[in-house]
Amino acid sequence: MRSAASRRRFLQGVAAGLSAAVLPDLVRGSLAQAQSATHPPPKPAARPNPHAVDEPVAIEVNARPLPSFDIRDRGHRRFGALEYRSGLILTSPFPGFGGLSALRLDPKGERFIAVSDQGNWFTGRIAYRGREMVGLEDVEAAPLLAADGRPITATRRWYDSESLALDGSFVYVGLERVNQVLRYDFAEGFTRSRGEVVPLPPAAHKLPLNKGLEGLVFVPKGLPLAGTLIAFSERGLDAGGNLIAFLVGGKTPGQFSVRRTENFDISDAVLLRSGDLLILERKFSLFGGVGIRIRRIPLGQVAPGAVIDGPAIFHADLGNEIDNMEGIDAHVSAEGETVVTMISDDNFSLIQRNLLLQFTLVE
């Protein structure tokens, strides 16, 4: 169980991670004002990113099991509509491993594609013993490439890759800071494929700094809105204070909103086979700490101009084994159970963790 001191350090780490993008801009602005008008500021030297991945490389990832989710009651297994299955704390000697912001699994829940907020792919396989995760195998890191074949961080200094959606061999990646979406065809070289920019509504490019595109879902054939890419903002707010989202492509493109309650922001979403959306949300305050929840919303509610809402089916806080939970996915096990997987972004902080958690959705 975390001590009071370790909890304070954790909260400070989360605060630092959430504000890291804003503070450098404020500092640069102050320095610019201090420069004399007759002496333009010197051009800063580029600093190497210790977390950057320049080329594909096999990496080692170590996993330590989390036998329980409730820190206060180790025997507690049921949390709302979710039942805890297993969890892992992931570490690696590879300096680029971390910042994991989105995850997509194959239908068996084994092979995975993930992105970090530093513009990196991570691919590999989850190893199981029975129904419990025991580690990651065959893990490879690679840079997200732009259309010119260079890493997106080098071409346009794009990074903050926060979301993933799959459509067959096509993989969509959302970039929060610049509010762009890239589409990759993994049939053309897997993680060596090149991204092309997906046209978005003008309003998407006006989302606030560091509160932009945070979740992507592609709607497959056989469901309402088939062929549509749904893009959720973290905290872009409409006139009613609700969370802005977009329908991109498909037969009815447009904008809609997710009702915002209790100061929660969106961190990711996944579409179940049933046609319901699971929306992962989080909130943070220095006084209230970190909290996460999952809301379940029928896809049928989604339409241009709609404000969608649904019940919370899961809550967790620092009394549970959570961190900065940023990714969610779901698959159906061989036994027919819907398994929900969540992953956390450690912000490359020594006091935060990369967690991989799995639960059974109790229908």
Side-chain angles (χ1 to χ4, degrees), residues 104-111 166 273 329-334 337 339:
R104 291 293 180 241
L105 303 173
D106 72 4
K108 294 182 178 181
E110 295 177 354
R111 305 296 306 184
L166 304 183
R273 286 188 183 180
D329 200 22
H331 72 279
V332 177
S333 71
E337 297 175 319
V339 179

Side-chain angles (χ1 to χ4, degrees), residues 11-97:
L11 295 178
Q12 291 166 355
V14 172
L18 294 176
S19 63
V22 178
L23 290 176
D25 290 335
L26 295 176
V27 172
R28 283 195 293 270
S30 299
L31 289 175
Q33 292 176 3
Q35 296 289 340
S36 167
T38 59
H39 294 85
K43 186 176 181 179
R47 291 182 298 177
N49 181 355
H51 311 303
V53 178
D54 298 322
E55 58 185 5
V57 59
I59 68 170
E60 174 189 354
V61 177
N62 302 309
R64 182 162 62 88
L66 281 172
S68 62
F69 181 66
D70 192 331
I71 297 172
R72 297 156 293 199
D73 180 358
R74 300 294 182 180
H76 185 195
R77 310 295 293 184
R78 179 73 178 268
F79 305 88
L82 300 187
E83 182 178 281
Y84 186 62
R85 295 170 71 95
S86 65
L88 299 173
I89 303 172
L90 304 175
T91 58
S92 175
F94 181 68
F97 183 78

Side-chain angles (χ1 to χ4, degrees), residues 13-288:
V14 172
L18 294 176
S19 63
V22 178
L23 290 176
D25 290 335
L26 295 176
V27 172
R28 283 195 293 270
S30 299
L31 289 175
Q33 292 176 3
Q35 296 289 340
S36 167
T38 59
H39 294 85
K43 186 176 181 179
R47 291 182 298 177
N49 181 355
H51 311 303
V53 178
D54 298 322
E55 58 185 5
V57 59
I59 68 170
E60 174 189 354
V61 177
N62 302 309
R64 182 162 62 88
L66 281 172
S68 62
F69 181 66
D70 192 331
I71 297 172
R72 297 156 293 199
D73 180 358
R74 300 294 182 180
H76 185 195
R77 310 295 293 184
R78 179 73 178 268
F79 305 88
L82 300 187
E83 182 178 281
Y84 186 62
R85 295 170 71 95
S86 65
L88 299 173
I89 303 172
L90 304 175
T91 58
S92 175
F94 181 68
F97 183 78
L100 303 173
S101 298
L103 176 80
R104 291 293 180 241
L105 303 173
D106 72 4
K108 294 182 178 181
E110 295 177 354
R111 305 296 306 184
F112 68 85
I113 303 169
V115 291
S116 83
D117 54 18
Q118 297 297 307
N120 302 326
W121 297 110
F122 290 97
T123 59
R125 184 173 66 86
I126 301 175
Y128 292 87
R129 182 181 300 119
R131 57 183 273 155
E132 294 187 1
M133 299 182 295
V134 294
L136 301 187
E137 298 178 349
D138 306 323
V139 182
E140 181 185 85
L144 275 74
L145 301 181
D148 63 359
R150 300 173 61 203
I152 62 170
T153 53
T155 301
R156 296 186 175 180
R157 294 189 178 181
W158 284 1
Y159 62 105
D160 217 10
S161 31
E162 294 281 347
S163 49
L164 280 173
L166 304 183
D167 172 27
S169 68
F170 292 105
V171 181
Y172 294 86
V173 179
L175 308 178
E176 181 186 19
R177 198 67 51 90
V178 294
N179 293 310
Q180 299 278 3
V181 172
L182 297 174
R183 188 179 79 159
Y184 294 85
D185 185 355
F186 270 27
E188 300 293 332
F190 194 51
T191 56
R192 284 68 162 171
S193 58
R194 301 180 180 190
E196 60 178 356
V197 175
V198 176
L200 298 177
H205 300 296
K206 298 178 182 179
L207 292 170
L209 178 68
N210 207 31
K211 297 295 178 185
L213 297 179
E214 190 76 17
L216 291 177
V217 169
F218 189 87
V219 184
K221 294 179 180 179
L223 291 175
L225 303 174
T228 302
L229 182 68
I230 305 177
F232 296 91
S233 74
E234 179 179 357
R235 198 197 297 171
L237 302 180
D238 65 12
N242 297 310
L243 301 158
I244 294 172
F246 301 94
L247 301 171
V248 181
K251 295 182 179 180
T252 56
Q255 181 175 319
F256 68 100
S257 298
V258 179
R259 190 171 305 282
R260 186 173 190 246
T261 61
E262 300 179 36
N263 295 320
F264 277 96
D265 298 326
I266 293 174
S267 58
D268 202 6
V270 63
L271 184 60
L272 301 177
R273 286 188 183 180
S274 65
D276 285 353
L277 289 164
L278 296 185
I279 299 181
L280 174 63
E281 300 177 308
R282 66 186 169 188
K283 65 179 177 180
F284 167 78
S285 72
L286 290 174
F287 297 103

Side-chain angles (χ1 to χ4, degrees), residues 294-318:
I294 296 174
R295 274 194 285 176
R296 185 169 185 168
I297 302 176
L299 182 63
Q301 287 192 21
V302 180
V307 179
I308 68 173
D309 196 2
I313 64 168
F314 171 82
H315 286 90
D317 56 26
L318 287 180

